[in-house]
Amino acid sequence: MAEQIVFSIVAVVTLVSAFIVVTDRNLFHAAVALMLSFLGVAGFYVMLNAGFLAAAQLLVYIGAISILIIFAIMMTRRIMTTNESPVNSQWVGALIASVLLFVLVAGAVWTVWGPTGTVFTSPNVLAPPGPAQGVPDEVVANSVVELGRLFVSADGYVLPFELVSVLLLAALVGAIVVARTEREQ
Amino acid sequence: MTFLEALRDLNFAPFIRQALGGGLWVEILIDVLGVVVVSTFCLLIVIFLIWLERKVLARMQDRIGPNRVGPFGLLQTIADVIKLLVKEPFTPAGADRLVYNIAPLLIVIAALLMWAVIPFSPSLIGTDLNIGVFYILAVSSASVVCILFAGWGSNNKYALLGAFRSVSQLVSYEVPMVVALLIPILLARSMSTNDIIIAQAVPYLLVVPVSAVIFFISALAETGRTPFDLLEAESEIVAGFHIEYSGMKFGMFFLAEFLGTLLMSALMVVIYLGGWNLPLLSLALSWIGVNFDLAALPGGSWLGLLVFFVKLFLVYFVFIWIRGTLPRVRVDQILAFNWKFLVPVSLAALLLVAVLDKLIPAGAGPVARGGIHLISNLLLGFAALELLRRRGREERLAQTGEPAEPELVELAVDHHH
């Protein structure tokens, strides 16, 4: 019961602020609402016992990406006087793309968690059907250690993890090369 | 469990559960009480901290400091708070009302949130998260946003410039801080603050001093204190991002700044000085065959509380000491020092400790292990300082065009005295 109440509050905050992001005329307010939406997503992670992911969401999305977005808006437009329409001529394409994305996500959720989904019918399920059982405390306490092991073990996710690391390093080097002032020979 | 037992162990949750019977509402009551106690304590101690800082700074500058209101001027801050509270809550024309007014609230909330994982004594901790240190870093990085809110909401170009400058400094110094904190996490094999305290058979300050020093320097920068207090450079950007704030709204930024400094001191105590524990005493007693476990003593919780606060105020004193003695540096120097010196050194230290920790045989005792890390850390530290010295010499050479001789200059100054 208590969990449903908290979930509803977090869900409303996330969705309403996401709606404000795309409708508000003031770009700075849209960026603020985007942060609130990110915070709501972090709340979902906390409810799913994924504390590490929640803290990472806070650190990366609010602490870094949102600040980057604000810096970008402030440096490219006359932000103090901006009052632009949030709708432009690309809305038809955007609508089609979002509907397709929604169908994709809903389909994925339905096949796994729907009434006939694989979560309830496959033999090696984690949680049996019926009311939620809750995760045992020791599983939650060890989740960070397990996560770390999975990232670097050969039968875990070491290849994607290293690929992402190389990608980020390449982006870092690229950013330095772009930002560097040319030295005169 | 009687009330006296709960008081002795500083552990009231079981007592409340027993007295009121369990259940969801009792759990919520316990959580709310915990939040109220920790935040009230944090807010009240700032009143004392402000007095302490003014008094110590005054002594260092050969002044007396506040001495009129109350004994030793102790009530001066309370008078100041009342003055701030009765001022008119003012919002400048053209300001973004919502953003302008919410920024001081958010920054205090963020500063209070971080205290949830600080263990004051073996039993006194808000919540022992398994990601404790990471949680603090995440909240502190998210709180940077409040500064942008304040700077932009004020509709003042000096506030905005100040906010940009603050944010660039805070975001940059997060990098060496995170990397430096990874080293104790790696040694303790846990991110929980309580686990890190228990894992310190020898305080980490004596095991990985390079990491401790880098953490301390970045903590100075993260809290915007001297020599990194460019956030309020009066000569260039006036008061920085909070120029348009007055009354208690300004007081909130002031409060968050002091809370942040105290939190960094607490983090230093927890991660590098053994927190509420007395690791060196336990180690010394174990050599003469006495088993000393502070947490298991009757009333050990109170002793732990005392130990924690003594260490906390020692570290806090160092913060004030530095503020009273070091001059401010330039903004380009701040960023260059961070990216070209602190970040590479912290990365090298992390690599060194990680490799060494794997190489030391598993049977080595805490002292042998700590000794090996200490020697390698000191070597790394000296190498880094030597590099810095060479660079400084080159820069002096480039500026003056002649080889500077710092030894001679120092001698001349000494002679003058």
Side-chain angles (χ1 to χ4, degrees):
Chain A
M1 181 59 193
E3 229 165 69
Q4 272 95 326
I5 296 174
V6 177
F7 177 81
S8 313
I9 295 172
V10 174
V12 167
V13 167
T14 311
L15 292 178
V16 169
S17 49
F19 186 72
I20 294 175
V21 174
V22 288
T23 51
D24 203 299
R25 284 169 172 263
N26 186 324
L27 273 179
F28 188 83
H29 284 176
V32 173
L34 185 66
M35 280 176 216
L36 200 59
S37 186
F38 285 149
L39 194 68
V41 175
F44 289 134
Y45 291 147
V46 171
M47 295 195 69
L48 292 169
N49 282 318
F52 185 83
L53 209 55
Q57 167 91 4
L58 215 59
L59 188 79
V60 174
Y61 281 92
I62 299 183
I65 292 191
S66 303
I67 290 181
L68 196 70
I69 290 175
I70 290 184
F71 267 56
I73 322 174
M74 285 182 177
M75 291 187 175
T76 48
R77 286 167 188 270
R78 297 182 60 82
I79 182 73
M80 297 295 185
T81 54
T82 188
N83 206 9
E84 293 181 22
S85 163
V87 183
N88 63 11
S89 56
Q90 293 169 353
W91 68 272
V92 182
L95 185 72
I96 296 171
S98 1
V99 167
L100 283 179
L101 183 69
F102 179 78
V103 169
L104 188 70
V105 171
V109 169
W110 189 258
T111 44
V112 180
W113 283 285
T116 56
T118 47
V119 164
F120 300 124
T121 51
S122 93
N124 53 350
V125 289
L126 287 170
Q133 305 284 310
V135 186
D137 283 347
E138 62 268 20
V139 173
V140 176
N142 286 330
S143 58
V144 180
V145 178
E146 281 304 310
L147 187 70
R149 281 226 176 89
L150 280 177
F151 273 148
V152 290
S153 66
D155 49 348
Y157 299 91
V158 68
L159 190 65
F161 182 71
E162 290 299 326
L163 274 179
V164 169
S165 312
V166 172
L167 181 72
L168 288 177
L169 184 68
L172 202 69
V173 173
I176 293 172
V177 169
V178 170
R180 201 184 159 107
T181 47
E182 289 286 329
R183 286 224 182 92
E184 286 172 30
Q185 298 296 319
Chain B
M1 178 178 256
T2 64
F3 181 71
L4 280 180
E5 275 173 336
L7 190 65
R8 185 195 65 197
D9 296 338
L10 277 176
N11 191 1
F12 296 98
F15 172 72
I16 296 173
R17 256 180 229 128
Q18 198 184 26
L20 298 178
L24 180 65
W25 289 108
V26 175
E27 293 302 317
I28 293 178
L29 175 76
I30 291 173
D31 288 350
V32 170
L33 275 180
V35 171
V36 169
V37 169
V38 172
S39 1
T40 313
F41 160 77
C42 291
L43 295 178
L44 286 182
I45 198 153
V46 168
I47 291 182
F48 173 67
L49 286 179
I50 294 173
W51 172 83
L52 184 77
E53 178 135 0
R54 291 182 63 181
K55 207 73 180 167
V56 174
L57 270 185
R59 286 292 171 191
M60 283 174 185
Q61 297 162 350
D62 210 6
R63 293 183 286 120
I64 297 172
N67 66 342
R68 292 292 151 142
V69 193
F72 310 107
L74 262 171
L75 301 179
Q76 178 64 50
T77 319
I78 295 175
D80 290 345
V81 169
I82 293 170
K83 186 192 83 176
L84 284 179
L85 278 174
V86 297
K87 278 197 171 183
E88 181 194 354
F90 180 77
T91 305
D96 189 325
R97 295 192 79 86
L98 176 76
V99 178
Y100 174 85
N101 287 312
I102 210 169
L105 286 180
L106 285 182
I107 205 162
V108 172
I109 292 175
L112 284 176
L113 272 178
M114 289 184 261
W115 285 90
V117 294
I118 297 292
F120 293 95
S121 83
S123 62
L124 221 57
I125 174 169
T127 170
D128 190 11
L129 291 181
N130 60 351
I131 51 159
V133 179
F134 189 47
Y135 164 84
I136 291 183
L137 291 171
V139 175
S140 99
S141 117
S143 70
V144 170
V145 169
C146 308
I147 293 176
L148 269 185
F149 281 16
W152 190 79
S154 303
N155 193 17
N156 175 318
K157 66 180 160 202
Y158 294 112
L160 193 59
L161 281 176
F164 278 153
R165 191 185 264 196
S166 308
V167 169
S168 71
Q169 178 181 328
L170 297 185
V171 170
S172 313
Y173 274 87
E174 245 164 46
V175 178
M177 176 177 268
V178 171
V179 178
L181 281 179
L182 274 178
I183 294 171
I185 288 172
L186 189 133
L187 291 175
R189 284 160 177 75
S190 171
M191 288 196 277
S192 142
T193 42
N194 234 347
D195 286 358
I196 291 179
I197 291 179
I198 293 165
Q200 291 179 60
V202 180
Y204 285 154
L205 178 67
L206 302 178
V207 178
V208 281
V210 170
S211 154
V213 170
I214 291 174
F215 171 78
F216 189 77
I217 295 173
S218 357
L220 279 175
E222 283 285 302
T223 48
R225 294 178 69 92
T226 340
F228 302 105
D229 61 343
L230 290 179
L231 316 185
E232 42 178 307
E234 293 88 347
S235 47
E236 305 151 40
I237 48 172
V238 204
F241 65 90
H242 51 57
I243 177 174
E244 289 287 358
Y245 285 87
S246 61
M248 203 54 208
K249 286 180 200 163
F250 165 74
M252 301 282 249
F253 285 109
F254 206 59
L255 176 69
E257 203 179 307
F258 273 86
L259 272 180
T261 312
L262 192 67
L263 182 101
M264 286 302 166
S265 318
L267 213 53
M268 183 91 192
V269 169
V270 165
I271 291 174
Y272 294 104
L273 300 173
W276 43 259
N277 212 348
L278 288 167
L280 285 181
L281 183 67
S282 308
L283 200 65
L285 285 178
S286 75
W287 279 337
I288 57 166
V290 182
N291 193 8
F292 176 78
D293 183 8
L294 188 139
L297 287 179
S301 217
W302 283 96
L303 184 60
L305 197 65
L306 182 72
V307 170
F308 178 80
F309 273 100
V310 169
K311 288 179 185 174
L312 180 67
F313 280 105
L314 275 178
V315 175
Y316 195 80
F317 177 76
V318 179
F319 270 97
I320 304 179
W321 191 6
I322 286 178
R323 183 175 166 188
T325 41
L326 285 185
R328 193 176 280 163
V329 290
R330 276 199 330 256
V331 68
D332 60 319
Q333 290 170 331
I334 278 194
L335 294 180
F337 177 65
N338 177 49
W339 292 111
K340 293 178 182 166
F341 182 71
L342 281 187
V343 173
V345 172
S346 59
L347 283 173
L350 176 66
L351 213 62
L352 181 76
V353 173
V355 171
L356 260 186
D357 204 53
K358 265 285 181 232
L359 288 182
I360 299 172
V367 179
R369 199 170 263 278
I372 296 172
H373 279 308
L374 178 65
I375 292 168
S376 69
N377 252 263
L378 287 179
L379 287 178
L380 179 72
F382 281 126
L385 285 182
E386 181 58 33
L387 275 178
L388 201 62
R389 206 165 69 93
R390 275 202 196 152
R391 223 191 127 69
R393 193 183 289 159
E394 274 168 23
E395 245 169 49
R396 272 196 298 273
L397 198 68
Q399 273 176 5
T400 58
E402 58 192 47
E405 288 170 70
E407 290 88 352
L408 281 183
V409 176
E410 268 166 35
L411 277 179
V413 171
D414 281 347
H415 186 72
H416 194 71
H417 278 285

